[in-house]
């Protein structure tokens, strides 16, 4: 098991966003998280990346790293957690004044202090991998939303993370651009990347996921294989949510 989480909780003031979350993330598997707005999906993802620090809970990694958030963790431990994952944001978060290539090389060179020549070669291969070989010298404003998101995926891969995190990677895209991003993520799934994906794309989640998790009001309501959770959900709240998404009126 890549990561086991027990008793994760997170509040912002009086608002409890995550409540007693127990979760296992398997190495080389894809976990998709679904649920209505405000259910805690993005906060859970940000806790995995230490962009938000949990108030309570224990993270146990397969490499022996254990973080107990019932106590205050050190900045060094928060950094160790952050270094394990690459994050792909729904709004791309690219540097507007840097080219696609520079956006991808920034983290490995500036933060990880890796060899510039090696990083550039890696960045070029990653941009080719996501179908942007001919766009490496363009700036974000010269790229479509789908192309910008693919640069974001290449940037996350460039830091060579153990875990890839996607926060609704297609939500800011026009419908005709969604497919090109989902195709890249499907390719990563075939390469056995460990991934956690917050998504509202039911068909995509069904195709790419090893496990689907449904959240509501800060709790995990239901989880299991996609054919169970998405095709034959047991919980009424999951049934209502899927009915609304699949049959909007």
């Amino acid at each position: 098991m890549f990561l086991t989480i027990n008793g994760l909780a997170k509040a912002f003031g009086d608002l409890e966003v995550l409540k007693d979350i127990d979760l296992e993330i398997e190495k080389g598997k894809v976990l998709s998280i679904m649920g209505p707005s405000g259910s805690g999906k993005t906060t859970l993802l940000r806790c995995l990346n230490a962009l938000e620090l949990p108030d309570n809970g224990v993270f146990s990694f397969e490499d022996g790293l254990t973080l107990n958030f019932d106590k205050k963790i050190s900045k060094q431990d928060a950094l160790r957690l952050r270094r394990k994952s690459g994050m792909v944001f729904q709004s791309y978060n690219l540097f507007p004044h840097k080219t696609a290539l520079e956006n991808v090389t920034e983290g490995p060179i500036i933060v990880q202090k890796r060899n510039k020549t090696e990083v550039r070669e890696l960045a070029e291969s990653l941009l080719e991998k996501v179908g942007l070989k001919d766009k490496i010298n363009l700036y974000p404003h010269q790229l479509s939303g789908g192309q910008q998101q693919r640069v974001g995926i290449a940037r996350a891969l460039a830091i060579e993370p153990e875990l890839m995190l996607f926060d609704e990677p297609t939500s800011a895209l026009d419908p005709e651009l969604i497919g090109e991003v989902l195709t890249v993520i499907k390719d990563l799934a075939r390469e056995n990347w460990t991934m956690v994906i917050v998504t509202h794309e039911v068909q995509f989640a069904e195709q790419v996921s090893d496990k689907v998790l449904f959240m509501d009001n800060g709790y995990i309501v239901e989880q299991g294989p996609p054919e169970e959770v998405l095709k034959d959900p047991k919980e009424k709240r999951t049934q209502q949510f899927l009915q609304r998404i699949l049959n909007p009126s």
Side-chain angles (χ1 to χ4, degrees):
M1 197 61 60
F2 172 74
L3 170 61
T4 301
I5 297 171
N6 295 110
L8 170 61
K10 177 65 180 178
F12 297 101
D14 294 332
L15 179 63
E16 292 182 84
V17 180
L18 297 175
K19 308 166 187 175
D20 199 26
I21 298 287
D22 293 333
L23 178 62
E24 292 183 337
I25 298 173
E26 294 185 65
K27 190 175 184 67
K29 302 293 186 182
V30 179
L31 168 66
S32 289
I33 304 176
M34 307 192 79
S37 297
S39 58
K41 308 182 300 294
T42 293
T43 300
L44 174 56
L45 208 65
R46 291 173 67 85
C47 284
L48 295 177
N49 189 268
L51 290 173
E52 301 287 353
L53 293 180
D55 299 323
N56 296 98
V58 178
F59 286 19
S60 302
F61 288 90
E62 65 176 2
D63 63 5
L65 173 63
T66 298
L67 300 176
N68 186 349
F69 292 97
D70 296 344
K71 308 166 187 173
K72 185 175 175 63
I73 69 165
S74 67
K75 287 184 179 179
Q76 183 179 9
D77 278 342
L79 194 57
R80 290 172 72 189
L81 176 58
R82 192 166 296 156
R83 284 175 175 161
K84 285 184 173 293
S85 61
M87 185 87 157
V88 178
F89 301 88
Q90 56 182 297
S91 55
Y92 324 137
N93 282 26
L94 301 180
F95 295 111
H97 59 289
K98 293 183 181 293
T99 64
L101 183 67
E102 290 167 341
N103 265 282
V104 176
T105 59
E106 175 88 1
I109 291 174
I110 303 301
V111 179
Q112 296 178 328
K113 311 296 184 187
R114 284 155 57 189
N115 179 275
K116 289 183 179 180
T117 302
E118 291 176 4
V119 169
R120 183 185 172 91
E121 290 175 359
L122 172 65
E124 289 177 351
S125 70
L126 288 173
L127 286 166
E128 182 174 4
K129 179 189 185 77
V130 299
L132 295 174
K133 183 180 180 180
D134 59 338
K135 309 290 185 185
I136 65 172
N137 294 317
L138 297 186
Y139 291 88
H141 75 272
Q142 297 172 302
L143 302 171
S144 70
Q147 291 168 341
Q148 290 184 61
Q149 191 60 289
R150 284 185 279 154
V151 173
I153 293 172
R155 178 182 59 182
L157 291 170
I159 64 171
E160 300 182 336
E162 298 173 51
L163 173 66
M164 284 287 287
L165 304 173
F166 295 84
D167 185 13
E168 298 202 29
T170 62
S171 66
L173 299 178
D174 293 331
E176 67 268 20
L177 300 177
I178 289 173
E180 63 190 51
V181 173
L182 297 186
T183 296
V184 171
I185 299 174
K186 288 177 185 177
D187 289 343
L188 296 178
R190 281 191 285 269
E191 294 172 11
N192 297 318
W193 281 84
T194 307
M195 296 193 283
V196 179
I197 306 169
V198 172
T199 182
H200 57 272
E201 301 281 346
V202 176
Q203 186 177 18
F204 168 70
E206 185 182 340
Q207 292 171 350
V208 79
S209 309
D210 296 287
K211 183 165 72 173
V212 174
L213 187 108
F214 177 74
M215 293 185 69
D216 189 37
N217 196 32
Y219 292 101
I220 295 175
V221 175
E222 188 166 357
Q223 60 181 308
E227 59 269 20
E228 290 180 13
V229 176
L230 299 178
K231 293 288 191 181
D232 188 25
K234 297 178 177 62
E235 299 297 326
K236 187 172 183 179
R237 185 65 188 92
T238 315
Q239 295 168 7
Q240 292 170 338
F241 174 79
L242 291 171
Q243 177 72 16
R244 197 169 69 246
I245 282 190
L246 296 173
N247 299 291
S249 55

